[in-house]
Amino acid sequence: MQYTEITVRYGELSTKGKNRREFIGRLNGNVTKTLREFPDLKIYPKRDRMHIALNGTDSDAVMAKLGQVFGIQNFSPSITIPKDVELLKQTALAMMREHLPAAKTFKINTRRSDHNFEYDTNQLNLLLGDYIYDQLPELKAQMKYPDVTLRVEVRRDGIYLSSQTIKGAGGLPVGTAGKAMLMLSGGIDSPVAGYLAMKRGVAIEMVHFFSPPYTSERALAKAKALTAKLAPYVGTISFIEVPFTEIQEEVKRSVPEGYLMTVQRRFMLRLAAALAEQRSALAIFNGESVGQVASQTLESMVAINDVTTLPVIRPVATMDKNEIIKIAEEIDTFDLSILPFEDCCTIFAPPRPKTKPRLDKARYYEAQLDGATLMARALAGIKITEIHSHDDFLQTDQDQIQSIL
């Protein structure tokens, strides 16, 4: 069936009161960026819902993208017809036939914004319900929890019919809760943290620490590929590559083995905070899960968080690994995350890191380094890439990826 429009229904936007217009505007911008590869679409954001005119564009391709945009409760592909009752009956019947034999029960749900139309909502419900039952006696009318609900909207410009309601991503439009920096490693946890941040309306920029020659170009490409997996939820994401080799070498040269990880993470957080200030971000997100590794004990978090007053938010902090993996599989980042390309968090990792580092010692060992100069050189060497959902950074590694999976 050739659909003419997709009707989008908002999620939590319905509770936002005076901010509703801002939220709808942000959602409109995110949808526009996500669907930019379909030039014939026309998007009309309204107060109670959004209408996307397809103008011949394949509805399945559009809906595949639309399902990843946060702020959408659900959406329905619809057909537009002139305001002719006989044509309405025939179109409704054709739509219901498509659901056979799986569907056993149905319901008609009519809305009428054009109050000059000859039938009111109750009359249309009865008219269409009786007609469909007469033509398809195997279908039974059922008001609660029917297998199929046929939605009919009578507007001034025509009648819109839909018989599918597809669940959206939910949450809030990305950007409505401000901007934050996400410390992105190449592992499983940080992409999940980024996904959860965006679901609550936070626009994220990726901060990835890169340490050549100890980390490879493939490790960098892997981090960019993970970013591309998250990009559909907002359209584009800025990827900030921070050179970290010099800092790691200096830390390894000057700091006792047990505190290598703690001091290294303090520098990472300092750099993320400096970037947040430069780029007007309000918080830092990361993928730490309490007790998962030595640097993620509460004592370690205290010793590392000491370097900034910005909020450091950990969306997966209380999840166990299986819960995190489940989300990673759902958002299609897991297979990328397990590729064995070492990131800077795994190189120079001491065999026996302190699980309960003392704050005073962490401060002391870090003070022995020329931190200001090291940070200034790292910040001067950053590279920023705008990453889109269709970007492919690991195309040359497909054979290796398949052999691993």
Side-chain angles (χ1 to χ4, degrees):
M1 188 164 284
Q2 183 67 40
Y3 294 106
T4 55
E5 179 185 282
I6 298 173
T7 301
V8 175
R9 300 174 189 89
Y10 307 136
E12 292 183 53
L13 300 189
S14 59
T15 66
K16 295 306 174 186
K18 294 180 180 179
N19 294 326
R20 186 184 182 96
R21 181 179 295 179
E22 176 191 344
F23 277 58
I24 293 172
R26 179 70 70 167
L27 178 61
N28 178 38
N30 293 346
V31 169
T32 300
K33 286 190 290 184
T34 298
L35 301 180
R36 72 189 185 285
E37 64 188 88
F38 307 109
D40 294 328
L41 298 180
K42 298 295 181 185
I43 302 172
Y44 303 97
K46 306 293 185 181
R47 188 180 189 281
D48 59 342
R49 59 191 62 194
M50 176 184 291
H51 304 288
I52 302 174
L54 293 169
N55 296 318
T57 305
D58 177 42
S59 58
D60 289 337
V62 174
M63 290 189 291
K65 297 280 188 181
L66 202 60
Q68 294 180 296
V69 180
F70 289 123
I72 294 175
Q73 180 181 1
N74 58 55
F75 52 91
S76 300
S78 62
I79 296 172
T80 310
I81 61 172
K83 288 186 284 187
D84 177 276
V85 174
E86 285 305 313
L87 181 58
L88 171 61
K89 290 160 62 175
Q90 295 302 319
T91 305
L93 178 62
M95 293 183 75
M96 295 305 295
R97 285 188 193 278
E98 289 197 340
H99 293 280
L100 296 178
K104 304 299 182 185
T105 59
F106 78 101
K107 173 184 177 180
I108 308 295
N109 186 343
T110 302
R111 291 172 53 131
R112 188 184 65 150
S113 59
D114 180 6
H115 295 287
N116 294 319
F117 190 67
E118 56 186 303
Y119 295 96
D120 64 22
T121 56
N122 289 330
Q123 290 171 329
L124 279 171
N125 285 339
L126 289 171
L127 176 73
L128 293 174
D130 289 345
Y131 182 76
I132 289 171
Y133 180 73
D134 289 341
Q135 300 298 316
L136 302 173
E138 62 269 40
L139 278 177
K140 305 299 181 186
Q142 182 169 301
M143 295 302 101
K144 289 188 176 181
Y145 311 114
D147 295 331
V148 181
T149 297
L150 179 65
R151 300 178 185 272
V152 180
E153 295 190 40
V154 182
R155 306 182 204 163
R156 288 182 174 82
D157 62 335
I159 299 177
Y160 293 73
L161 299 92
S162 63
S163 59
Q164 299 180 58
T165 300
I166 300 165
K167 186 178 180 182
L172 297 171
V174 175
T176 54
K179 184 168 79 172
M181 316 306 286
L182 174 72
M183 299 173 70
L184 178 74
S185 69
I188 297 169
D189 303 339
S190 54
V192 173
Y195 166 81
L196 295 173
M198 289 192 291
K199 189 170 186 177
R200 297 313 305 157
V202 178
I204 58 172
E205 294 190 347
M206 302 302 197
V207 179
H208 179 73
F209 298 94
F210 182 48
S211 297
Y214 306 107
T215 56
S216 68
E217 287 292 332
R218 289 187 299 177
L220 178 61
K222 173 184 170 182
K224 290 180 177 179
L226 287 168
T227 302
K229 288 289 187 182
L230 298 180
Y233 298 102
V234 63
T236 61
I237 298 177
S238 296
F239 181 91
I240 306 172
E241 174 189 339
V242 183
F244 202 57
T245 306
E246 183 183 16
I247 291 176
Q248 285 196 288
E249 290 176 338
E250 286 298 316
V251 170
K252 181 172 176 58
R253 186 162 32 246
S254 306
V255 175
E257 181 181 90
Y259 278 82
L260 284 179
M261 187 65 70
T262 303
V263 174
Q264 175 179 295
R265 292 297 178 95
R266 282 169 65 92
F267 271 106
M268 287 180 171
L269 192 55
R270 284 189 187 277
L271 288 164
L275 288 167
E277 183 177 358
Q278 287 181 10
R279 300 179 66 81
S280 302
L282 301 173
I284 298 168
F285 281 70
N286 65 33
E288 292 180 341
S289 176
V290 174
Q292 190 174 128
V293 295
S295 64
Q296 296 176 20
T297 63
L298 292 181
E299 291 85 355
S300 288
M301 291 180 186
V302 168
I304 296 165
N305 269 41
D306 172 59
V307 303
T308 183
T309 57
L310 277 179
V312 180
I313 301 173
R314 302 170 173 87
V316 302
T318 60
M319 295 183 186
D320 64 35
K321 198 67 177 183
N322 287 335
E323 291 172 317
I324 299 170
I325 288 172
K326 181 181 178 182
I327 297 175
E329 290 174 335
E330 290 172 355
I331 64 175
D332 197 28
T333 58
F334 179 75
D335 289 345
L336 275 175
S337 293
I338 62 175
L339 293 176
F341 305 150
E342 283 194 323
D343 59 39
C344 71
C345 296
T346 55
I347 64 170
F348 299 156
R352 291 177 298 278
K354 288 282 186 181
T355 59
K356 297 183 179 181
R358 286 173 45 180
L359 178 57
D360 59 339
K361 286 191 174 183
R363 287 174 174 173
Y364 173 78
Y365 293 133
E366 184 185 319
Q368 307 311 303
L369 305 172
D370 186 359
T373 299
L374 290 170
M375 280 190 53
R377 283 203 283 263
L379 291 170
I382 66 169
K383 297 178 182 177
I384 301 175
T385 307
E386 295 299 319
I387 293 180
H388 307 88
S389 58
H390 62 273
D391 291 343
D392 187 357
F393 296 96
L394 286 170
Q395 64 268 35
T396 59
D397 291 295
Q398 291 304 313
D399 291 341
Q400 180 177 357
I401 291 170
Q402 291 304 315
S403 68
I404 293 168
L405 300 180

